[in-house]
Amino acid sequence: MKQNPQTFLHVDMDAFFASVEQRDHPELRGKPVVVGAAADQRGVVAAASYEARKYGIHSAMPSRIAKQKCPHAVFVSNNMANYKAVSREIMRIFESYTPHVMPLSIDEAFLDVTGARHLFGDGKTMAEKIRNHIREQTQLTASVGVAPNMFLAKLASDMNKPDGLTVVPFNQEAIEKMLAPMPIGRMWGVGKVTQKKLLSLGISTIGDLQNFDFQRLEKVLGPKSAYGFSRLCRGIDDRKIGTGADEKSISNETTFRHDITDREQIEATYKRLIDKVAARLRKAGFYATTVHLRLRWSDFTTITRQTKIAIPANDDITLREVGMELLNEHLRHRPVRLIGFGTSGLTESDKPRTLQMNLFDSPDTARHEKRNRLSRAADAIREKYGISSLRRGSDLD
Ligand SMILES: [Mg+2]
């Protein structure tokens, strides 16, 4: 039988925190268990057992509401150290099958198992082995999606939860048919703003997008997004799991002592991270072409988002501008546990490789030069008087 070019698994533990509690406390088994803040406290649900989900309880819901929905639910406080230990055990299981593991959060990961097929069998066989391995070693269940790429694997792992195994047909026509009825919000990169734009065009399912006129889509979303979405709606996704070893990057992150919801406080911390990263870039003589935002919510789910910079930069102003754009787009009204800022695609020159020569004379370039001078002056002052001697106006108000 012909082997497909790539095989990815997405492994997602079922109601992870709640399942760990039920495993460790047999008296909780079969009961609606809510992990998170107690019902009489301000705070939210970090995880709900499947018994609790039947009452409409889900993570990020205020505990108070959860209690209203299911008065006899058992509230258990977070035992993060324990969940982390179990998580490490599970990640080690993954690594015994393939070195290409990309954790998405404490309880889920992508595995590129393409190179492991000759050892462990095809994607489905390997998914069953991993599920059994996890069950035997941890007494927990996982749902797995098997697919030719990451986007489809992640969709698939969710299709037969809990304790499910879903193999996406490795066939273009069947893939498009499977995606067609799904709501457009299930597609990667479709946030609230994009969803609204698409809805205004009459696109509510992935199938609607498959049939939509590409040129009209380009006018509304711009060429880059339109191209990406037109591929994704057909199940095409070329991303790879890198080992990361040769990827140069500079980043910095902070874990808050308490989960933070105050936007100003989050922004102030984030701006300080950006300035530190920018200073490190300048010191190392690098310019960044990509910036990254990392956010971890109080329930431990983590997102990483990135965007490209038109002209490679290492000055505070540009990095703050681009960084804040990312933050504004992705910050939600949810408590934040960790925030990070990073840069990659580092170059030793700030001259864009792909742009035309006449761009160097544009006002954009003049502004760019001015920003570089300002940042170098700021570095000189910091060097002399210490890092906190220089803050931008916005930090002070
Ligand atoms: Mg999960």
Side-chain angles (χ1 to χ4, degrees):
M1 197 183 96
K2 186 175 160 280
Q3 286 264 338
N4 288 286
Q6 298 270 301
T7 305
F8 287 89
L9 309 185
H10 178 256
V11 185
D12 186 15
M13 301 302 293
D14 301 318
F16 183 52
F17 298 171
S19 301
V20 172
E21 294 301 336
Q22 287 179 321
R23 176 193 75 173
D24 295 347
H25 305 280
E27 71 277 13
L28 297 177
R29 289 179 199 165
K31 290 190 180 152
V33 174
V34 174
V35 179
D40 56 350
Q41 289 170 2
R42 288 181 52 225
V44 296
V45 173
S49 71
Y50 282 92
E51 295 85 350
R53 291 181 192 195
K54 285 194 191 123
Y55 293 87
I57 298 174
H58 55 78
S59 57
M61 173 183 276
S63 294
R64 193 172 39 80
I65 307 283
K67 181 81 178 169
Q68 281 167 16
K69 288 192 178 280
C70 178
H72 64 286
V74 188
F75 285 78
V76 183
S77 62
N78 260 335
N79 185 352
M80 200 52 75
N82 189 24
Y83 311 147
K84 276 189 194 167
V86 180
S87 173
R88 274 195 295 275
E89 223 180 313
I90 292 161
M91 297 295 164
R92 268 203 296 275
I93 292 175
F94 298 157
E95 282 157 9
S96 69
Y97 291 85
T98 169
H100 304 289
V101 178
M102 180 177 146
L104 280 187
S105 73
I106 191 166
D107 79 321
E108 58 180 311
F110 286 116
L111 281 65
D112 180 348
V113 295
T114 310
R117 289 179 304 202
H118 68 283
L119 289 173
F120 300 106
D122 65 10
K124 187 181 176 197
T125 310
M126 216 173 325
E128 270 308 357
K129 279 189 181 146
I130 292 174
R131 274 159 41 80
N132 288 335
H133 197 153
I134 293 173
R135 192 183 297 111
E136 278 163 25
Q137 195 172 321
T138 70
Q139 289 90 52
L140 296 169
T141 63
S143 295
V144 182
V146 184
N149 62 49
M150 291 198 256
F151 168 57
L152 293 171
K154 176 134 167 86
L155 281 181
S157 71
D158 201 40
M159 288 167 80
N160 287 300
K161 256 185 166 302
D163 201 11
L165 168 59
T166 309
V167 182
V168 171
F170 281 55
N171 155 330
Q172 189 55 35
E173 203 181 325
I175 288 171
E176 288 179 24
K177 220 171 136 192
M178 179 193 91
L179 292 174
M182 292 184 184
I184 198 72
R186 294 288 298 278
M187 255 177 45
W188 276 359
V190 178
K192 284 211 179 87
V193 178
T194 308
Q195 203 167 347
K196 236 180 172 171
K197 279 189 199 163
L198 292 172
L199 271 176
S200 74
L201 297 171
I203 299 170
S204 65
T205 65
I206 298 182
D208 293 338
L209 191 56
Q210 288 169 356
N211 296 318
F212 200 79
D213 177 57
F214 179 70
Q215 264 141 16
R216 252 186 94 194
L217 192 68
E218 247 188 333
K219 281 198 192 104
V220 181
L221 298 178
K224 206 178 139 198
S225 296
Y227 177 69
F229 287 147
S230 71
R231 288 165 56 84
L232 221 46
C233 74
R234 293 176 174 82
I236 304 166
D237 167 25
D238 293 332
R239 281 162 317 138
K240 304 257 177 291
I241 299 177
T243 49
D246 50 5
E247 262 268 300
K248 263 192 212 139
S249 68
I250 291 184
S251 63
N252 204 340
E253 61 183 40
T254 293
T255 303
F256 294 110
R257 210 170 311 148
H258 310 284
D259 298 343
I260 303 288
T261 32
D262 181 73
R263 202 185 171 97
E264 277 181 33
Q265 204 180 337
I266 293 168
E267 284 185 7
T269 305
Y270 184 60
K271 284 175 183 168
R272 271 195 288 280
L273 291 173
I274 295 177
D275 290 354
K276 279 188 196 165
V277 168
R280 279 171 61 198
L281 280 172
R282 292 192 294 273
K283 201 157 191 186
F286 285 127
Y287 297 85
T289 61
T290 303
V291 309
H292 308 253
L293 160 72
R294 200 160 126 84
L295 280 171
R296 178 168 295 150
W297 312 109
S298 54
D299 66 357
F300 235 84
T301 51
T302 307
I303 61 164
T304 306
R305 297 289 181 270
Q306 54 173 274
T307 188
K308 294 240 182 251
I309 310 179
I311 301 175
N314 64 12
D315 68 279
D316 301 354
I317 301 173
T318 305
L319 293 177
R320 275 193 179 202
E321 256 176 27
V322 184
M324 285 309 294
E325 250 171 55
L326 264 184
L327 185 69
N328 287 334
E329 194 176 335
H330 298 289
L331 190 61
R332 301 281 176 267
H333 293 289
R334 298 174 68 172
V336 173
R337 170 177 213 94
L338 169 152
I339 188 162
F341 176 81
T343 54
S344 66
L346 306 187
T347 69
E348 289 176 32
S349 157
D350 63 346
K351 301 286 176 276
R353 260 173 277 175
T354 49
L355 298 181
Q356 311 253 321
M357 283 308 289
N358 61 10
L359 195 100
F360 297 123
D361 304 321
S362 73
D364 234 28
T365 314
R367 194 180 58 171
H368 178 62
E369 246 321 296
K370 191 175 165 203
R371 288 176 175 189
N372 281 342
R373 278 200 308 277
L374 275 172
S375 288
R376 281 195 297 268
D379 287 343
I381 295 174
R382 283 203 190 95
E383 195 102 308
K384 205 164 172 188
Y385 302 106
I387 188 107
S388 59
S389 59
L390 198 87
R391 288 273 165 78
R392 268 174 222 302
S394 57
D395 284 344
L396 303 171
D397 52 39

